[in-house]
Amino acid sequence: MPSAFFIYSRAMQILGIDPGSKVTGYGFIEQQGNRLIHLDNGAIFTRSNDALAERLQLIYLELCQLIERYRPDAVAVEQVFMARNPASALKLGHARGVALLAGINAGLPVAEYSALQVKSAVVGYGRAGKSQVQQMTRTLLNLPEIAQEDAADALAVAICHAHSHHLTRQINQPSLRPQRNRR
């Protein structure tokens, strides 16, 4: 059996994160072959009147506790989008940094995906609206109801990673690359 078989057959738990300085969404899924199974999702809410450093600490500590509880195999984080307000973009960048740090400090591989990649993987259209992402996330994971907006985005990031990681591994492993005939 070729080694590519093992890439698809092993179950993989993924933590998806939609970072934000006010609300950070998280979603845990398990990929079993071509099946995606919902494990948990939610959001970490911070108080906007707290200092930014305290809000970032809360996000970091909560993510570390979630990683400890669920022990995922990988973390996937949504990349920064272009915000109209530079101060908001900076705060979002700080929240992303905290999410990346929580994953890497736990010794996990951390992947990053743009909103365009996430929406394309989940909805099939990179410019899809939030409600479309929420509905497709519900459908793909067979959820009883639509998840909270930030949690749905985090689940979508995890789904994107589930669809993308095995392709990346195949491309990066020389033994799995197609061999060209050389004459």
Side-chain angles (χ1 to χ4, degrees):
M1 222 4 88
S3 58
F5 172 77
F6 297 105
I7 291 172
Y8 293 99
S9 65
R10 185 186 161 307
M12 177 182 199
Q13 290 189 359
I14 303 163
L15 165 59
I17 301 173
D18 178 35
S21 61
K22 293 180 184 174
V23 182
T24 293
Y26 65 87
F28 287 92
I29 66 169
E30 181 169 284
Q31 181 182 28
Q32 295 178 357
N34 62 356
R35 290 183 51 212
L36 298 177
I37 299 164
H38 172 260
L39 301 175
D40 192 15
N41 71 78
I44 301 165
F45 294 90
T46 64
R47 294 190 306 240
S48 56
N49 57 342
D50 285 349
L52 178 61
E54 291 172 355
R55 291 163 45 195
L56 295 173
Q57 180 187 42
L58 174 65
I59 294 166
Y60 177 78
L61 292 174
E62 292 281 334
L63 288 174
C64 289
Q65 287 177 357
L66 288 165
I67 289 169
E68 180 68 26
R69 182 181 321 144
Y70 288 96
R71 301 201 180 276
D73 299 301
V75 175
V77 181
E78 188 168 11
Q79 291 177 340
V80 174
F81 65 94
M82 297 309 268
R84 291 186 194 115
N85 181 343
S88 295
L90 282 172
K91 288 177 185 174
L92 177 59
H94 292 313
R96 278 190 77 255
V98 164
L100 296 170
L101 186 64
I104 207 76
N105 277 354
L108 298 171
V110 177
E112 300 175 62
Y113 299 97
S114 69
L116 187 73
Q117 289 173 300
V118 171
K119 291 175 182 181
S120 293
V122 174
V123 180
Y125 175 60
R127 306 267 185 242
K130 286 219 176 250
S131 63
Q132 291 172 296
V133 172
Q134 286 177 300
Q135 187 58 47
M136 281 304 296
T137 300
R138 177 183 181 215
T139 301
L140 290 170
L141 296 173
N142 198 27
L143 299 176
E145 60 187 29
I146 292 176
Q148 186 268 353
E149 187 175 296
D150 301 283
D153 286 348
L155 287 168
V157 174
I159 292 168
C160 179
H161 184 70
H163 291 168
S164 302
H165 83 277
H166 67 274
L167 295 174
T168 303
R169 286 179 62 183
Q170 282 182 318
I171 291 168
N172 292 333
Q173 289 183 357
S175 63
L176 298 178
R177 288 188 199 144
Q179 298 298 315
R180 294 188 347 206
N181 292 333
R182 294 189 181 176
R183 295 182 190 196

